[in-house]
Amino acid sequence: MISHVNLNCLVSITGDGTYTVFYMPEVNGKHEVSVSIQDKPIMGSPFTVLVINRREYADVGPTLHRFGQYGSKKREFKSPFGVAVDNESYIYVADSYNHRIQIFGPRGEYVSQFGSHGERKGEFNCPTDVAIDNKGRIIVCDNGNNRIQVLSRNGAFIGKFGREGTGNGFFKSPWGVATSRKNDILVADMENHRVQIFSPEGKFVSKIGSYGDRPGQFNSPCYLLVNPEDDHIYVSDSKNHRIQEFDKNGKSLRQIGCQGTGEGQFSHPRGLAIDIAGNLVIADMGNHRLQILAASGKFVKEAGSEGSGDGQLSFPESVAIMPNSGYIVVSDLSNNRIQVF
């Protein structure tokens, strides 16, 4: 075994003229690997390698940690709605009836907060969701003010767009927000029963959906995500008790689930997240549980039951996935706490 310390890799000589290169990456994602002999790249180099620290969901059940209780102090909540995590696994919570965003470290340690009740720049009226784009900007769904606000990590105001109405760029109770690889901003415009897509600067680009229960239609869409691998859009179509998938142009691709309590069935599904392997994690709010589905839509695992004990849930509202560990962050709405599974 020959060690190449400067490359942090190992090269194994097999004896038949072939070599095996071992490298232990430190983060998930796509890695570009270059292999050269005497400074000349071998055929096909560089190679793109997808690194996945695959989460084994069989162990999901008891929580790793949880924090929060009812109140207005640090690490307290009045109806935590949307949650998000950044690339360093910091946790962002839309603390709705405290009209603020709270930020926590990966183990739930308090970091900071910003926002207060109002309608001026940087003020909120019952924020329901939060997202972080690739520029590190914080996007807040300012539900009661029928607008989206864009802020820096320390809460400095950057911009805003939207007001109450039904036209393009207008909202009626916007509930969920997500961003794409290109930092486009997608909004679940709940009472207008549609998804609206905006440029990073907040300019209207396009919309998806109308009221109804047919494919591509919505009844109170609440949360959404963009799959970073293919830009497909997933929407929790809450009152139709299903998840819908669209391509990047808004074409309806499939519907997942129906109303019920069985595996792969939902009661008012809310927040959803996707892991690096394409598994979906869904806050099955009315059933007081999380459901994990494979990329194919096949049921994998459920976690949680109604209650306030460890690992129990009372109307779970939103979910996010920590990028390297795969841990699931859940806003346990009626228990006024955050749980990490």
Side-chain angles (χ1 to χ4, degrees):
M1 195 74 74
I2 303 172
S3 176
H4 291 257
V5 178
N6 60 322
L7 295 178
N8 196 27
C9 68
L10 296 172
V11 179
S12 175
I13 303 174
T14 61
D16 62 357
T18 61
Y19 298 80
T20 304
V21 180
F22 298 89
Y23 171 67
M24 181 65 72
E26 296 180 355
V27 296
N28 284 323
K30 290 183 177 179
H31 292 244
E32 186 176 89
V33 180
S34 299
V35 181
S36 300
I37 298 176
Q38 294 182 344
D39 296 326
K40 293 183 178 181
I42 66 171
M43 184 179 296
S45 179
F47 307 94
T48 299
V49 179
L50 177 62
V51 176
I52 300 175
N53 180 17
R54 192 178 297 274
R55 174 78 189 270
E56 296 296 335
Y57 288 110
D59 63 356
V60 173
T63 56
L64 298 169
H65 54 273
R66 60 187 188 274
F67 58 93
Q69 61 183 15
Y70 181 82
S72 299
K73 298 177 182 178
K74 297 175 182 178
R75 297 181 92 239
E76 294 182 340
F77 304 105
K78 288 184 178 179
S79 296
F81 278 77
V83 293
V85 296
D86 64 17
N87 290 332
E88 298 177 343
S89 294
Y90 280 73
I91 301 168
Y92 299 72
V93 182
D95 186 8
S96 190
Y97 291 105
N98 280 322
H99 311 287
R100 65 185 178 183
I101 304 298
Q102 291 200 67
I103 305 175
F104 304 90
R107 298 193 58 81
E109 61 274 24
Y110 175 83
V111 175
S112 64
Q113 63 179 289
F114 57 84
S116 59
H117 191 202
E119 57 184 25
R120 294 179 298 183
K121 295 176 180 179
E123 295 180 334
F124 305 116
N125 185 1
C126 298
T128 48
D129 201 15
V130 58
I132 300 94
D133 71 9
N134 292 328
K135 297 179 180 179
R137 305 183 308 170
I138 300 174
I139 320 297
V140 178
C141 193
D142 189 5
N143 175 272
N145 286 322
N146 286 291
R147 66 184 180 184
I148 301 299
Q149 292 202 64
V150 182
L151 306 105
S152 69
R153 179 168 172 166
N154 63 10
F157 176 83
I158 296 174
K160 62 182 175 68
F161 58 92
R163 56 190 175 93
E164 186 174 5
T166 60
N168 294 341
F170 292 73
F171 303 113
K172 288 184 71 176
S173 192
W175 204 267
V177 65
T179 60
S180 71
R181 286 184 292 183
K182 297 180 180 179
N183 297 315
D184 286 339
I185 299 170
L186 291 82
V187 181
D189 188 7
M190 187 178 70
E191 291 186 8
N192 280 325
H193 309 288
R194 64 187 179 185
V195 169
Q196 294 197 68
I197 302 172
F198 300 85
S199 73
E201 296 74 35
K203 182 180 179 181
F204 174 82
V205 175
S206 62
K207 60 186 176 183
I208 303 169
S210 60
Y211 178 75
D213 58 9
R214 292 178 297 180
Q217 294 184 320
F218 300 114
N219 188 351
S220 299
C222 285
Y223 292 94
L224 70 174
L225 66 82
V226 182
N227 186 345
E229 291 301 311
D230 55 16
D231 295 319
H232 285 190
I233 301 163
Y234 293 80
V235 184
S236 59
D237 187 6
S238 188
K239 290 186 179 179
N240 281 326
H241 310 285
R242 65 187 180 184
I243 306 300
Q244 294 205 63
E245 180 184 0
F246 301 83
D247 71 13
K248 63 182 180 180
N249 298 314
K251 179 183 177 182
S252 177
L253 298 177
R254 62 172 172 163
Q255 295 75 47
I256 303 169
C258 61
Q259 187 171 15
T261 60
E263 295 178 354
Q265 296 179 329
F266 305 108
S267 175
H268 298 93
R270 305 292 270 208
L272 64 170
I274 193 165
D275 70 12
I276 198 166
N279 297 302
L280 285 170
V281 180
I282 300 155
D284 187 6
M285 185 186 71
N287 286 323
H288 307 284
R289 65 183 179 182
L290 306 180
Q291 289 202 64
I292 301 164
L293 307 179
S296 64
K298 181 180 178 181
F299 175 83
V300 174
K301 174 79 174 180
E302 71 173 64
S305 60
E306 186 174 7
S308 58
D310 180 28
Q312 292 186 311
L313 299 164
S314 182
F315 298 100
E317 177 72 14
S318 182
V319 291
I321 297 175
M322 292 185 173
N324 288 315
S325 64
Y327 296 155
I328 302 168
V329 181
V330 184
S331 58
D332 189 4
L333 179 66
S334 292
N335 285 324
N336 287 289
R337 65 185 180 182
I338 303 298
Q339 296 201 68
V340 180
F341 288 83

